[in-house]
């Protein structure tokens, strides 16, 4: 049994618990940024360990990063107006 | 590096060897997942724009969702991600019985997730918070038309995710049958890898749906 997979799973559950606790305990809008940050960390753990991007070859990583980059452009251009008002 | 299993069956004729075929399959799956990212990305972006415009009402509407059930469901889905990944490892190292058991556990966890999700929808239906198919919508708060927009997003996002879960469960069941037969270990290894990628991606989508819908509530 892979230790990396188990550590990733434990990390994911800790991040989940942290997110729920933040929602309950942290007042004001600061918790929104923390929750989004925790979600990004969880996604990064799944991408790198469960989806094996950590050990993937360069071309596959390029495809994965490309997909995230286009999504990033999409989010940035869609939200730029609303976030800068 | 080719494993003992991947060497027991021949590659398709357009490939030099099974490793090249596996790399091509994985690449194809990532291209498909990129299109899925944009599908869910557009939905999530639409939600975020309205969340910024109607912060107070969306937060109030979110507080009507079951945080406890949502959190349990998230833990279940993350655990199914672990068992799918472990099953992939077992398949590639030829541990057929472990692979079968782990994948079966993953399917049970996936079905449990969907049952809890359906139960949540039933609770929302009884509370008249389901503004779909002409059903009555009664929101105890101000700006009920904005709250209705929140719940439209909620059903669209969780519904689309559930459809992906059902498709993923179908894929896992096909792989389970292939493991039971074990007639082409090389093919099962590739299917487990590709099916696993899809399942993990569905996990990632849920993490963001859970965060945006359930956690941003004040």
């Amino acid at each position: 049994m892979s230790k990396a997979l188990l550590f990733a799973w434990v990390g994911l559950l800790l991040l989940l618990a942290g997110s729920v606790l933040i929602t309950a305990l942290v007042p004001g809008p600061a918790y929104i940024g923390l929750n989004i940050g925790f979600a990004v960390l969880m996604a990064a753990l799944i991408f790198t360990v469960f989806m094996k991007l950590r050990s993937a070859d360069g071309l596959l990583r390029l495809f994965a990063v490309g997909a995230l980059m286009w999504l990033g452009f999409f989010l940035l251009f869609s939200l730029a107006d609303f976030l800068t008002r | 590096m080719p494993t003992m299993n991947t060497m027991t069956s021949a590659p398709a004729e357009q490939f030099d060897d099974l490793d090249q075929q596996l790399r091509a399959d994985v690449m194809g799956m990532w291209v498909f997942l990129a299109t899925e990212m944009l599908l869910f990305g557009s939905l999530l972006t639409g939600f975020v724009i309205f969340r910024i415009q109607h912060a107070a009402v969306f937060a109030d509407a979110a507080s009507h969702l079951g945080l406890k059930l949502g959190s349990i469901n998230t833990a279940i889905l993350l655990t199914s991600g672990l068992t799918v990944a472990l099953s992939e490892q077992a398949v590639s190292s030829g541990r057929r019985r472990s692979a079968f058991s782990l994948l079966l556990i993953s399917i049970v966890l996936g079905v449990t997730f969907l049952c809890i999700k359906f139960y949540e929808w039933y609770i929302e239906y009884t509370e008249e918070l389901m503004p779909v198919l002409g059903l009555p919508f009664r929101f105890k708060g101000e700006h009920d038309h904005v709250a209705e927009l929140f719940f439209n997003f909620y059903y669209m996002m969780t519904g689309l995710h559930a459809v992906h879960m059902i498709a993923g469960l179908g894929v896992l069941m096909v792989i389970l049958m292939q493991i039971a037969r074990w007639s082409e270990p090389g093919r099962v290894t590739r299917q487990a890898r590709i099916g696993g990628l899809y399942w993990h991606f569905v996990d990632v989508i849920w993490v963001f749906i859970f965060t945006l819908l359930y956690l941003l509530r004040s």
Side-chain angles (χ1 to χ4, degrees):
Chain A
M1 190 177 283
S2 167
K3 280 184 185 172
L5 290 176
L6 276 178
F7 283 142
W9 175 66
V10 171
L12 286 167
L13 291 186
L14 288 175
L15 286 167
L16 170 64
S19 298
V20 176
L21 278 176
I22 284 168
T23 298
L25 299 178
V26 178
Y31 87 104
I32 294 179
L34 285 171
N35 271 329
I36 301 289
F38 273 41
V40 169
L41 279 177
M42 289 167 86
L45 262 180
I46 295 172
F47 277 131
T48 52
V49 183
F50 285 180
M51 295 174 83
K52 297 191 173 81
L53 273 185
R54 195 175 50 137
S55 56
D57 59 44
L59 188 60
L60 191 64
R61 284 185 190 173
L62 188 68
F63 267 69
V65 170
L68 290 172
M69 190 187 72
W70 285 116
L71 182 64
F73 282 142
F74 179 73
L75 289 171
L76 181 70
F77 293 138
S78 302
L79 297 176
D81 175 39
F82 297 97
L83 293 175
T84 53
R85 281 183 190 181
Chain B
M1 182 184 287
T3 62
M4 196 170 70
N5 284 321
T6 56
M7 287 190 291
T8 54
S9 50
E13 62 180 317
Q14 67 269 33
F15 298 106
D16 294 333
D17 53 49
L18 280 167
D19 275 357
Q20 188 190 35
Q21 185 168 353
L22 176 62
R23 283 203 304 277
D25 287 351
V26 170
M27 181 75 77
M29 192 64 197
W30 268 101
V31 173
F32 171 70
L33 294 182
T35 66
E36 290 278 82
M37 265 186 218
L38 292 176
L39 169 69
F40 279 99
S42 58
L43 250 182
L44 296 177
T45 305
F47 177 84
V48 169
I49 288 170
F50 284 109
R51 177 68 175 74
I52 292 167
Q53 286 183 326
H54 307 288
V57 183
F58 266 46
D60 188 18
S63 66
H64 287 71
L65 301 180
L67 181 59
K68 193 186 286 181
L69 283 179
S71 304
I72 291 169
N73 243 359
T74 308
I76 287 172
L77 202 58
L78 294 173
T79 306
S80 78
L82 171 72
T83 52
V84 165
L86 289 172
S87 173
E88 282 174 60
Q89 271 192 348
V91 168
S92 63
S93 57
R95 289 180 284 122
R96 180 185 172 190
R97 190 171 289 180
S98 298
F100 186 90
S101 307
L102 287 161
L103 203 59
L104 191 61
I105 292 169
S106 310
I107 290 169
V108 170
L109 289 170
V111 170
T112 307
F113 174 94
L114 282 177
C115 289
I116 292 175
K117 192 67 239 161
F118 291 141
Y119 177 63
E120 272 190 82
W121 285 338
Y122 174 72
I123 292 173
E124 284 136 17
Y125 165 74
T126 58
E127 292 175 354
E128 296 188 317
L129 291 172
M130 191 180 266
V132 293
L133 302 171
L135 291 170
F137 180 77
R138 289 190 182 80
F139 180 72
K140 291 165 195 154
E142 288 182 28
H143 307 290
D144 57 344
H145 60 289
V146 179
E148 191 173 339
L149 183 63
F150 171 88
F151 279 97
N152 281 328
F153 268 108
Y154 168 74
Y155 288 109
M156 185 76 80
M157 286 153 77
T158 55
L160 191 61
H161 180 266
V163 168
H164 280 73
M165 285 284 297
I166 292 166
L169 283 171
V171 170
L172 294 189
M173 282 176 193
V174 169
I175 298 167
L176 191 73
M177 285 189 283
Q178 299 276 358
I179 293 172
R181 283 197 211 111
W182 205 252
S183 54
E184 290 182 81
R187 189 174 175 195
V188 181
T189 304
R190 288 199 308 278
Q191 287 179 339
R193 178 90 170 87
I194 296 164
L197 277 177
Y198 181 80
W199 191 259
H200 300 313
F201 179 77
V202 172
D203 282 10
V204 171
I205 295 300
W206 178 256
V207 164
F208 285 101
I209 288 176
F210 174 71
T211 301
L212 290 177
L213 290 173
Y214 287 78
L215 294 180
L216 306 188
R217 51 172 58 206
S218 65

